[in-house]
Amino acid sequence: MSIGSANETTADPVPMFHPHAPRPGDPVPHIPSMAHYRAMYEESVTKPDVFFGKLAQDLLSWHKPFNQVSHGNFHEGNISWFVDGQVNACYNCVDRHALVNPNKVAIIWEADEMDHHRSITYGEVLAEVSRLANVLLKYGVRRGHAVAIYMPMVPEAVYAMLACARIGAVHSVVFAGFSADALRDRMLDAKCRLLITADQGKRGGKTIQLKNIADEALAECPAVHTVIVFQRTNDKSVPFHPPRDIWWHEETSNQRPYCPCTPMNSEDPLFMLYTSGSTGKPKGVLHTTAGYLLGATATTKYIFDLHEGDVHACMADVGWITGHSYIVYGPLSNGATTVVFESIPTYPNAGRYWDLVDKHKVTSFYTAPTAIRALRRLGDDFVKPYDLSSLRILGSVGEPINPDAWMWYHAIVGRSRCAIVDTYWQTETGSIIITPLPGCTPTKPGSATLPFFGVDVAVLDPQTGEELKGNGVTGVLAVRNSFPSIARTIYDNHARYMDTYLLPYKGFYFSGDGVSRDEDGYYWVRGRVDGTFHSLFESTQDYIVRLLTSRSAPLDVINVAGHRLSTAEIESALIKHPACAEAAVVGVPDDLTGQAIVCFCTLKSSDLDNKTLSAALTAQVRAHIGPFATPKRIIITPDLPKTRSGKIMRRILRKVAGREVVQEDLQDDAILKIKLGDLSTLADPAVVALLINSVADRL
Ligand code: PRX
């Protein structure tokens, strides 16, 4: 790649990488030049109805054409797309390919065990999905009903999603790393009556007791009348409670391998997916059928530049939005081959990803910066032995990728000839919204570059809400005008949808992220402004907190290894422990995971020593949320920093936890003031020394 230079607003000049011409035998990219991109982008934002009307007809198969392309706006929160059209997502992802090309491989399953993999054709997917859809119908699931899915990364997890879509049921996938409490809360909120799960899961050589966990959750979900259990391990000790529990293999074998697709209205819900928000209560982000499917299909086609014969490998879990859009709906709707990967990047060793790429001749590969950083640390020798020549595109998602990790991905994995696509998006946007296009966009390590078609990005002044026009600006990331895959509501709580996304800045969708637009118009996403990511946003946070406290609890969202977590959710897990009086949770920068969780806890009374208590409180968080929310540190402290009105001053906790202030600073009030800011509102200034000493004790 040739290297030029460009300026970023806040740093030294950074290298710019220009796309290579395709190698002989490689396909010509769908968007081969910046002139193509600019022309299409221009039309997509100035004439969205023309652009998306055409795209929807080109990329999706409709049962009935739509009457109008778009309706509604961000002011009123009444967005709809492809009005009165009828479409079925499963038909688009399965039938239309299976009918033409039943022997084409739809799914490659790479099991946790290294030597275990399986290819499944579109024809087989159609039969399996149909059988399961018939089972759902037999047990009373109908259009509009919510079905919970709590599955390991097996092809049957994909079948479960598609079987729901086929009959118009709304799936709610709960990541298999979530605890029983988290599963229970999500099933109750969505009013699920049926759960699809497995006996056990396998991950990195470990066995996950999915059915046991599900049973614990189900004890408090009396409305769930049927539980379909897939046998992943066939372990005979797994509990099974008929008539509520039914075996997947027994039931599906009795069903016909065809089930007609239910034509769905464009705006009928396709799925909901819970994500952490400002309060301890997760929100069920709701996506509708046509708009979401078009967003997933178009972004996968253009950003992973899919062509006939391509194998797309997204390493996410189907329990997150990345898995929904880029393992299931996007690749399958395009008729591509998608990889379902059950294991982890370091099992049995750090060459696992590259073995997978080599073995299955993967053409586009998609993972998170946390995984890239971890593998980089383990050394190039795990990458070198493999033939990675099939790769054309390497994607990154979930958090800002630091330039060092980007460069390693580019040079060592991509062998300096693959396009790197740093893709920015969210559960709520349904599909990627800021990204390079592999055939044309010059890239800068660390920047997600430019908006995708139809996404009119605005940078707003956090205080005034005024749009910051031109280049070289920093503010909050917002989107003007709706686009097809944007979430339509929060399930059963439209007021919260309005409060969180559409009311903070009237007329815009508010992403919750900070962003800079550099001198070239490139976007650099800075991370959540409702968390701790960037000190630049201290005042922004204060502003947003002030703005939103009138309606909801203070925002505090952190991003740990690409997983969005709410500090309030972790706090409520901690205070359920009998010894914990109060808890305050903050995110601190971490080299590997981007941010890490630090918990400050005060005690009621306890006979236990701090080490035992820390272990118990850590276990408490793992049990209530899931192992992926494991705190990095628990700090037992005599007190928390509060204002006179009793509000916890998290700013102080973040700085103390991040070791930005240390014991020596206690000698000098002036330094303390510079480092911690104004402390005059603190009810008890002595608490600062207590906190710093508590952190020092733990080191
Ligand atoms: O802060 C941004 C970060 O992840 C958040 C969305 O999290 P979630 O809904 O769980 O979806 C993750 C996968 C799409 C965003 O608000 N984020 C995501 N991608 C990037 C990113 N931050 C910087 N660069 C990215 N490429």
Side-chain angles (χ1 to χ4, degrees):
M1 287 204 169
S2 54
I3 302 181
S5 85
N7 291 321
E8 195 216 330
T9 22
T10 53
D12 291 335
V14 290
M16 196 178 227
F17 293 81
H18 293 272
H20 277 303
R23 289 174 300 180
D26 277 355
V28 175
H30 290 299
I31 314 289
S33 73
M34 283 305 277
H36 279 81
Y37 162 73
R38 281 197 206 96
M40 285 175 74
Y41 180 74
E42 181 66 16
E43 184 185 45
S44 74
V45 290
T46 55
K47 297 181 205 145
D49 282 9
V50 174
F51 181 87
F52 284 112
K54 227 168 9 174
L55 204 64
Q57 271 153 5
D58 288 352
L59 297 186
L60 301 185
S61 301
W62 295 83
H63 277 79
K64 179 179 152 257
F66 42 92
N67 297 326
Q68 191 180 328
V69 178
S70 68
H71 166 79
N73 56 55
F74 283 155
H75 280 279
E76 293 165 83
N78 57 346
I79 296 141
S80 55
W81 282 84
F82 313 113
V83 181
D84 281 336
Q86 284 186 346
V87 65
N88 182 285
C90 183
Y91 181 87
N92 276 272
C93 291
V94 184
D95 301 49
R96 62 172 172 162
H97 314 300
L99 295 176
V100 180
N101 204 352
N103 295 326
K104 177 163 184 183
V105 174
I107 296 174
I108 295 173
W109 181 51
E110 172 80 14
D112 195 45
E113 301 85 2
M114 182 89 169
D115 50 359
H116 188 153
H117 55 90
R118 183 150 67 88
S119 294
I120 302 145
T121 65
Y122 272 97
E124 288 166 332
V125 174
L126 176 58
E128 293 307 319
V129 169
S130 287
R131 287 181 196 276
L132 183 65
N134 284 325
V135 176
L136 295 177
L137 288 170
K138 173 179 166 189
Y139 285 90
V141 177
R142 296 288 176 269
R143 178 188 185 130
H145 290 183
V147 170
I149 299 175
Y150 187 63
M151 288 285 277
M153 283 293 288
V154 289
E156 287 72 12
V158 180
Y159 304 162
M161 294 164 74
L162 293 170
C164 290
R166 195 165 187 87
I167 61 168
V170 183
H171 59 72
S172 170
V173 184
V174 179
F175 171 54
F178 272 116
S179 66
D181 286 6
L183 174 62
R184 175 202 61 206
D185 292 349
R186 285 155 178 76
M187 287 197 290
L188 288 174
D189 187 75
K191 305 176 189 70
C192 294
R193 281 176 283 188
L194 187 140
L195 167 71
I196 305 176
T197 188
D199 50 1
Q200 295 177 322
K202 297 290 288 178
R203 209 161 171 268
K206 294 194 185 123
T207 301
I208 302 152
Q209 301 296 342
L210 288 179
K211 180 59 167 52
N212 276 311
I213 300 171
D215 277 350
E216 206 183 317
L218 287 160
E220 292 174 72
C221 300
V224 178
H225 52 69
T226 305
V227 180
I228 302 178
V229 188
F230 171 71
Q231 279 184 334
R232 165 62 181 92
T233 60
N234 204 1
D235 184 319
K236 300 293 177 227
S237 68
V238 169
F240 188 76
H241 308 287
R244 184 198 68 183
D245 296 354
I246 56 177
W247 288 116
W248 174 302
H249 59 284
E250 284 179 6
E251 291 289 334
T252 52
S253 67
N254 283 327
Q255 294 299 324
R256 167 186 179 211
Y258 184 77
C259 169
C261 290
T262 303
M264 302 302 291
N265 187 289
S266 297
E267 282 298 320
D268 274 332
L270 177 61
F271 66 84
M272 57 184 116
L273 187 58
Y274 284 81
T275 188
S276 297
S278 51
T279 66
K281 189 173 158 15
K283 49 196 180 196
V285 171
L286 190 130
H287 283 285
T288 56
T289 308
Y292 168 80
L293 188 64
L294 183 66
T297 309
T299 49
T300 312
K301 172 176 173 171
Y302 292 119
I303 299 164
F304 297 106
D305 200 42
L306 285 186
H307 293 268
E308 188 46 45
D310 278 355
V311 178
H312 178 68
C314 167
M315 297 292 98
D317 191 287
V318 290
W320 308 112
I321 191 69
T322 309
H324 281 58
S325 302
Y326 299 109
I327 295 174
V328 184
Y329 289 107
L332 294 179
S333 174
N334 278 288
T337 300
T338 189
V339 173
V340 172
F341 178 55
E342 194 182 30
S343 196
I344 56 169
T346 49
Y347 180 76
N349 61 54
R352 185 65 194 265
Y353 274 175
W354 322 124
D355 175 77
L356 178 149
V357 170
D358 189 348
K359 193 159 57 191
H360 302 301
K361 300 296 160 226
V362 169
T363 46
S364 47
F365 181 83
Y366 197 27
T367 192
T370 293
I372 300 168
R373 287 191 291 265
L375 295 175
R376 174 174 178 251
R377 247 186 219 187
L378 294 167
D380 303 354
D381 288 348
F382 285 107
V383 195
K384 283 185 181 148
Y386 295 100
D387 175 5
L388 305 182
S389 58
S390 57
L391 283 172
R392 299 198 315 270
I393 292 147
L394 294 171
S396 168
V397 60
E399 44 179 321
I401 177 165
N402 45 314
D404 287 350
W406 194 105
M407 289 303 299
W408 184 82
Y409 205 26
H410 165 70
I412 305 300
V413 180
R415 316 254 151 109
S416 301
R417 51 157 200 82
C418 291
I420 306 281
V421 289
D422 172 4
T423 61
Y424 166 80
W425 60 298
Q426 309 177 297
T427 304
E428 294 84 345
T429 65
S431 59
I432 295 165
I433 63 167
I434 302 180
T435 179
L437 294 178
C440 63
T441 316
T443 47
K444 302 181 196 184
S447 166
T449 75
L450 300 169
F452 187 71
F453 304 132
V455 182
D456 194 355
V457 176
V459 182
L460 306 182
D461 180 304
Q463 310 280 351
T464 62
E466 226 167 84
E467 187 173 353
L468 302 171
K469 298 232 165 90
N471 291 338
V473 292
T474 293
V476 294
L477 199 167
V479 182
R480 189 195 351 258
N481 301 336
S482 84
F483 51 93
S485 69
I486 189 86
R488 302 294 193 263
T489 192
I490 291 173
Y491 176 69
D492 217 11
N493 200 345
H494 196 66
R496 190 167 174 203
Y497 173 81
M498 296 300 290
D499 284 352
T500 311
Y501 308 115
L502 304 187
L503 291 179
Y505 300 101
K506 258 310 213 183
F508 291 92
Y509 165 79
F510 171 50
S511 68
D513 284 306
V515 72
S516 304
R517 183 166 54 221
D518 74 10
E519 296 301 338
D520 296 318
Y522 274 38
Y523 292 95
W524 298 75
V525 179
R526 303 299 184 191
R528 309 288 307 184
V529 292
D530 40 11
T532 63
F533 213 86
H534 209 252
S535 55
L536 180 69
F537 290 106
E538 277 293 305
S539 61
T540 312
Q541 278 167 33
D542 290 344
Y543 171 71
I544 293 166
V545 166
R546 228 177 326 121
L547 190 76
L548 294 178
T549 35
S550 53
R551 301 204 186 92
S552 49
L555 282 169
D556 218 357
V557 178
I558 57 178
N559 188 333
V560 179
H563 297 144
R564 212 204 291 189
L565 286 160
S566 137
T567 53
E569 211 175 339
I570 304 167
E571 286 162 9
S572 53
L574 288 164
I575 55 174
K576 285 193 183 115
H577 191 281
C580 182
E582 287 177 301
V585 173
V586 295
V588 293
D590 184 275
D591 284 350
L592 203 59
T593 56
Q595 284 185 292
I597 300 164
V598 176
C599 312
F600 290 86
C601 298
T602 63
L603 301 181
K604 285 176 188 160
S605 67
S606 173
D607 301 335
L608 301 174
D609 61 276
N610 281 3
K611 199 165 162 223
T612 313
L613 258 174
S614 295
L617 290 167
T618 300
Q620 178 82 6
V621 176
R622 289 171 63 95
H624 280 267
I625 301 174
F628 67 96
T630 304
K632 183 177 182 183
R633 247 187 294 159
I634 304 264
I635 296 163
I636 312 278
T637 171
D639 206 353
L640 292 170
K642 293 193 190 134
T643 60
R644 282 183 210 96
S645 60
K647 201 169 152 255
I648 294 171
M649 292 176 77
R650 280 157 201 282
R651 166 169 60 95
I652 296 177
L653 293 176
R654 280 182 206 121
K655 295 204 168 159
V656 173
R659 306 261 306 137
E660 288 176 50
V661 274
V662 290
Q663 279 175 313
E664 294 81 78
D665 297 329
L666 290 169
Q667 318 299 330
D668 190 334
D669 281 353
I671 289 192
L672 262 190
K673 194 162 177 216
I674 291 168
K675 290 196 170 178
L676 290 178
D678 180 17
L679 298 177
S680 61
T681 51
L682 255 185
D684 176 13
V687 78
V688 173
L690 287 177
L691 285 167
I692 293 175
N693 292 331
S694 303
V695 172
D697 283 350
R698 282 282 295 122
L699 294 173

